[in-house]
PDB file of all heavy atoms in Angstrom:
ATOM      1  N   GLU F   2      14.871  23.246 -37.022  1.00 60.00           N
ATOM      2  CA  GLU F   2      13.537  22.800 -36.616  1.00 60.00           C
ATOM      3  C   GLU F   2      12.984  21.868 -37.689  1.00 60.00           C
ATOM      4  O   GLU F   2      13.073  22.139 -38.878  1.00 60.00           O
ATOM      5  CB  GLU F   2      12.626  24.024 -36.482  1.00 60.00           C
ATOM      6  CG  GLU F   2      11.244  23.672 -36.018  1.00 60.00           C
ATOM      7  CD  GLU F   2      10.371  24.905 -35.860  1.00 60.00           C
ATOM      8  OE1 GLU F   2      10.866  25.906 -35.338  1.00 60.00           O
ATOM      9  OE2 GLU F   2       9.209  24.844 -36.276  1.00 60.00           O
ATOM     10  N   LEU F  14       2.163  10.885 -37.228  1.00 88.00           N
ATOM     11  CA  LEU F  14       1.338  10.901 -36.010  1.00 88.00           C
ATOM     12  C   LEU F  14       0.476   9.650 -35.908  1.00 88.00           C
ATOM     13  O   LEU F  14       0.323   9.088 -34.815  1.00 88.00           O
ATOM     14  CB  LEU F  14       0.480  12.163 -35.958  1.00 88.00           C
ATOM     15  CG  LEU F  14       1.247  13.455 -35.688  1.00 88.00           C
ATOM     16  CD1 LEU F  14       0.320  14.660 -35.778  1.00 88.00           C
ATOM     17  CD2 LEU F  14       1.945  13.404 -34.348  1.00 88.00           C
ATOM     18  N   ARG F  18       0.695   7.126 -32.826  1.00 91.00           N
ATOM     19  CA  ARG F  18      -0.504   6.808 -32.034  1.00 91.00           C
ATOM     20  C   ARG F  18      -0.785   5.307 -32.030  1.00 91.00           C
ATOM     21  O   ARG F  18      -1.186   4.750 -31.010  1.00 91.00           O
ATOM     22  CB  ARG F  18      -1.704   7.581 -32.568  1.00 91.00           C
ATOM     23  CG  ARG F  18      -1.650   9.051 -32.215  1.00 91.00           C
ATOM     24  CD  ARG F  18      -2.890   9.796 -32.663  1.00 91.00           C
ATOM     25  NE  ARG F  18      -2.754  11.208 -32.355  1.00 91.00           N
ATOM     26  CZ  ARG F  18      -2.653  12.167 -33.279  1.00 91.00           C
ATOM     27  NH1 ARG F  18      -2.723  11.865 -34.568  1.00 91.00           N
ATOM     28  NH2 ARG F  18      -2.511  13.422 -32.916  1.00 91.00           N
ATOM     29  N   GLY F  22      -0.913   2.936 -28.691  1.00 92.00           N
ATOM     30  CA  GLY F  22      -1.988   2.005 -28.365  1.00 92.00           C
ATOM     31  C   GLY F  22      -1.474   0.586 -28.207  1.00 92.00           C
ATOM     32  O   GLY F  22      -1.910  -0.154 -27.320  1.00 92.00           O
ATOM     33  N   ILE F  27       0.259  -4.046 -24.758  1.00 95.00           N
ATOM     34  CA  ILE F  27       1.303  -4.930 -24.237  1.00 95.00           C
ATOM     35  C   ILE F  27       1.327  -4.897 -22.715  1.00 95.00           C
ATOM     36  O   ILE F  27       1.450  -5.938 -22.066  1.00 95.00           O
ATOM     37  CB  ILE F  27       2.683  -4.549 -24.819  1.00 95.00           C
ATOM     38  CG1 ILE F  27       2.716  -4.876 -26.309  1.00 95.00           C
ATOM     39  CG2 ILE F  27       3.811  -5.264 -24.081  1.00 95.00           C
ATOM     40  CD1 ILE F  27       3.900  -4.282 -27.043  1.00 95.00           C
ATOM     41  N   GLU F  39       2.970 -14.188 -27.337  1.00 93.00           N
ATOM     42  CA  GLU F  39       2.023 -13.122 -27.695  1.00 93.00           C
ATOM     43  C   GLU F  39       2.615 -11.745 -27.402  1.00 93.00           C
ATOM     44  O   GLU F  39       2.480 -10.818 -28.209  1.00 93.00           O
ATOM     45  CB  GLU F  39       0.717 -13.290 -26.925  1.00 93.00           C
ATOM     46  CG  GLU F  39      -0.110 -14.478 -27.357  1.00 93.00           C
ATOM     47  CD  GLU F  39      -1.351 -14.635 -26.499  1.00 93.00           C
ATOM     48  OE1 GLU F  39      -1.225 -14.724 -25.255  1.00 93.00           O
ATOM     49  OE2 GLU F  39      -2.446 -14.658 -27.086  1.00 93.00           O
ATOM     50  N   LEU F  44       5.329  -6.735 -29.257  1.00 92.00           N
ATOM     51  CA  LEU F  44       6.499  -5.857 -29.169  1.00 92.00           C
ATOM     52  C   LEU F  44       7.125  -5.642 -30.541  1.00 92.00           C
ATOM     53  O   LEU F  44       7.555  -4.533 -30.871  1.00 92.00           O
ATOM     54  CB  LEU F  44       7.540  -6.430 -28.208  1.00 92.00           C
ATOM     55  CG  LEU F  44       7.278  -6.220 -26.730  1.00 92.00           C
ATOM     56  CD1 LEU F  44       8.280  -7.013 -25.899  1.00 92.00           C
ATOM     57  CD2 LEU F  44       7.336  -4.746 -26.371  1.00 92.00           C
ATOM     58  N   VAL F  47       5.108  -3.092 -32.371  1.00 89.00           N
ATOM     59  CA  VAL F  47       5.387  -1.741 -31.874  1.00 89.00           C
ATOM     60  C   VAL F  47       6.707  -1.249 -32.454  1.00 89.00           C
ATOM     61  O   VAL F  47       6.820  -0.106 -32.904  1.00 89.00           O
ATOM     62  CB  VAL F  47       5.447  -1.714 -30.324  1.00 89.00           C
ATOM     63  CG1 VAL F  47       5.990  -0.383 -29.822  1.00 89.00           C
ATOM     64  CG2 VAL F  47       4.088  -1.975 -29.736  1.00 89.00           C
ATOM     65  N   ILE F  58      10.461  10.622 -40.148  1.00 78.00           N
ATOM     66  CA  ILE F  58      10.976  11.856 -39.549  1.00 78.00           C
ATOM     67  C   ILE F  58      12.411  12.111 -40.008  1.00 78.00           C
ATOM     68  O   ILE F  58      12.765  13.224 -40.393  1.00 78.00           O
ATOM     69  CB  ILE F  58      10.892  11.784 -38.007  1.00 78.00           C
ATOM     70  CG1 ILE F  58       9.419  11.818 -37.567  1.00 78.00           C
ATOM     71  CG2 ILE F  58      11.680  12.909 -37.354  1.00 78.00           C
ATOM     72  CD1 ILE F  58       9.209  11.466 -36.111  1.00 78.00           C
ATOM     73  N   LEU F  63      16.589  14.768 -43.429  1.00 72.00           N
ATOM     74  CA  LEU F  63      17.610  14.729 -44.469  1.00 72.00           C
ATOM     75  C   LEU F  63      17.245  15.654 -45.628  1.00 72.00           C
ATOM     76  O   LEU F  63      18.089  16.366 -46.159  1.00 72.00           O
ATOM     77  CB  LEU F  63      17.793  13.296 -44.974  1.00 72.00           C
ATOM     78  CG  LEU F  63      18.420  12.312 -44.002  1.00 72.00           C
ATOM     79  CD1 LEU F  63      18.357  10.888 -44.563  1.00 72.00           C
ATOM     80  CD2 LEU F  63      19.851  12.686 -43.685  1.00 72.00           C
ATOM     81  N   GLN F  65      15.448  18.327 -45.439  1.00 72.00           N
ATOM     82  CA  GLN F  65      15.640  19.695 -44.975  1.00 72.00           C
ATOM     83  C   GLN F  65      17.106  20.081 -45.007  1.00 72.00           C
ATOM     84  O   GLN F  65      17.450  21.189 -45.405  1.00 72.00           O
ATOM     85  CB  GLN F  65      15.111  19.852 -43.546  1.00 72.00           C
ATOM     86  CG  GLN F  65      13.633  20.047 -43.473  1.00 72.00           C
ATOM     87  CD  GLN F  65      13.179  20.219 -42.042  1.00 72.00           C
ATOM     88  OE1 GLN F  65      12.387  19.426 -41.587  1.00 72.00           O
ATOM     89  NE2 GLN F  65      13.683  21.189 -41.349  1.00 72.00           N
ATOM     90  N   LEU F  67      19.395  19.027 -46.963  1.00 69.00           N
ATOM     91  CA  LEU F  67      19.778  19.273 -48.345  1.00 69.00           C
ATOM     92  C   LEU F  67      19.204  20.591 -48.850  1.00 69.00           C
ATOM     93  O   LEU F  67      19.872  21.333 -49.558  1.00 69.00           O
ATOM     94  CB  LEU F  67      19.323  18.115 -49.234  1.00 69.00           C
ATOM     95  CG  LEU F  67      20.040  16.791 -48.993  1.00 69.00           C
ATOM     96  CD1 LEU F  67      19.367  15.679 -49.796  1.00 69.00           C
ATOM     97  CD2 LEU F  67      21.511  16.901 -49.339  1.00 69.00           C
ATOM     98  N   GLU F  70      21.097  23.753 -47.553  1.00 62.00           N
ATOM     99  CA  GLU F  70      22.483  23.963 -47.960  1.00 62.00           C
ATOM    100  C   GLU F  70      22.540  25.209 -48.834  1.00 62.00           C
ATOM    101  O   GLU F  70      21.996  25.248 -49.926  1.00 62.00           O
ATOM    102  CB  GLU F  70      22.994  22.738 -48.720  1.00 62.00           C
ATOM    103  CG  GLU F  70      24.450  22.875 -49.096  1.00 62.00           C
ATOM    104  CD  GLU F  70      24.958  21.651 -49.816  1.00 62.00           C
ATOM    105  OE1 GLU F  70      24.428  20.558 -49.606  1.00 62.00           O
ATOM    106  OE2 GLU F  70      25.879  21.821 -50.603  1.00 62.00           O
ATOM    107  N   GLY F  74      30.698  25.920 -51.513  1.00 52.00           N
ATOM    108  CA  GLY F  74      32.094  25.664 -51.201  1.00 52.00           C
ATOM    109  C   GLY F  74      32.289  24.375 -50.447  1.00 52.00           C
ATOM    110  O   GLY F  74      31.342  23.757 -49.961  1.00 52.00           O
ATOM    111  N   PRO F  75      33.543  23.925 -50.340  1.00 52.00           N
ATOM    112  CA  PRO F  75      33.834  22.669 -49.650  1.00 52.00           C
ATOM    113  C   PRO F  75      33.413  22.697 -48.187  1.00 52.00           C
ATOM    114  O   PRO F  75      32.976  21.679 -47.653  1.00 52.00           O
ATOM    115  CB  PRO F  75      35.343  22.501 -49.797  1.00 52.00           C
ATOM    116  CG  PRO F  75      35.862  23.728 -50.430  1.00 52.00           C
ATOM    117  CD  PRO F  75      34.719  24.551 -50.898  1.00 52.00           C
ATOM    118  N   ALA F  77      30.836  24.268 -46.844  1.00 54.00           N
ATOM    119  CA  ALA F  77      29.382  24.097 -46.782  1.00 54.00           C
ATOM    120  C   ALA F  77      29.014  22.644 -47.035  1.00 54.00           C
ATOM    121  O   ALA F  77      28.177  22.075 -46.352  1.00 54.00           O
ATOM    122  CB  ALA F  77      28.688  25.001 -47.799  1.00 54.00           C
ATOM    123  N   GLU F  79      30.921  20.016 -46.540  1.00 59.00           N
ATOM    124  CA  GLU F  79      31.391  19.195 -45.420  1.00 59.00           C
ATOM    125  C   GLU F  79      30.453  19.341 -44.223  1.00 59.00           C
ATOM    126  O   GLU F  79      30.142  18.372 -43.542  1.00 59.00           O
ATOM    127  CB  GLU F  79      32.821  19.578 -45.036  1.00 59.00           C
ATOM    128  CG  GLU F  79      33.481  18.582 -44.131  1.00 59.00           C
ATOM    129  CD  GLU F  79      33.529  17.172 -44.720  1.00 59.00           C
ATOM    130  OE1 GLU F  79      33.748  17.033 -45.934  1.00 59.00           O
ATOM    131  OE2 GLU F  79      33.325  16.210 -43.959  1.00 59.00           O
ATOM    132  N   THR F  81      27.216  20.064 -44.318  1.00 66.00           N
ATOM    133  CA  THR F  81      26.000  19.330 -44.647  1.00 66.00           C
ATOM    134  C   THR F  81      26.244  17.832 -44.543  1.00 66.00           C
ATOM    135  O   THR F  81      25.416  17.104 -44.016  1.00 66.00           O
ATOM    136  CB  THR F  81      25.514  19.693 -46.064  1.00 66.00           C
ATOM    137  OG1 THR F  81      25.241  21.092 -46.095  1.00 66.00           O
ATOM    138  CG2 THR F  81      24.262  18.939 -46.429  1.00 66.00           C
ATOM    139  N   PHE F  89      21.746  10.128 -40.118  1.00 68.00           N
ATOM    140  CA  PHE F  89      21.719   8.741 -40.571  1.00 68.00           C
ATOM    141  C   PHE F  89      22.136   7.805 -39.458  1.00 68.00           C
ATOM    142  O   PHE F  89      21.515   6.767 -39.226  1.00 68.00           O
ATOM    143  CB  PHE F  89      22.615   8.577 -41.789  1.00 68.00           C
ATOM    144  CG  PHE F  89      22.610   7.183 -42.332  1.00 68.00           C
ATOM    145  CD1 PHE F  89      21.530   6.713 -43.049  1.00 68.00           C
ATOM    146  CD2 PHE F  89      23.674   6.333 -42.104  1.00 68.00           C
ATOM    147  CE1 PHE F  89      21.511   5.422 -43.552  1.00 68.00           C
ATOM    148  CE2 PHE F  89      23.660   5.035 -42.593  1.00 68.00           C
ATOM    149  CZ  PHE F  89      22.590   4.576 -43.308  1.00 68.00           C
ATOM    150  N   ALA F  93      20.607   3.919 -35.993  1.00 60.00           N
ATOM    151  CA  ALA F  93      21.142   2.696 -35.379  1.00 60.00           C
ATOM    152  C   ALA F  93      20.693   2.540 -33.934  1.00 60.00           C
ATOM    153  O   ALA F  93      20.417   3.427 -33.233  1.00 60.00           O
ATOM    154  CB  ALA F  93      22.653   2.679 -35.452  1.00 60.00           C
TER     155      ALA F  93
END
Side-chain angles (χ1 to χ4, degrees):
E2 182 179 318
L14 289 175
R18 286 184 183 113
I27 291 168
E39 290 177 305
L44 281 172
V47 169
I58 291 168
L63 291 172
Q65 279 181 240
L67 292 172
E70 183 179 333
E79 194 57 38
T81 300
F89 181 75

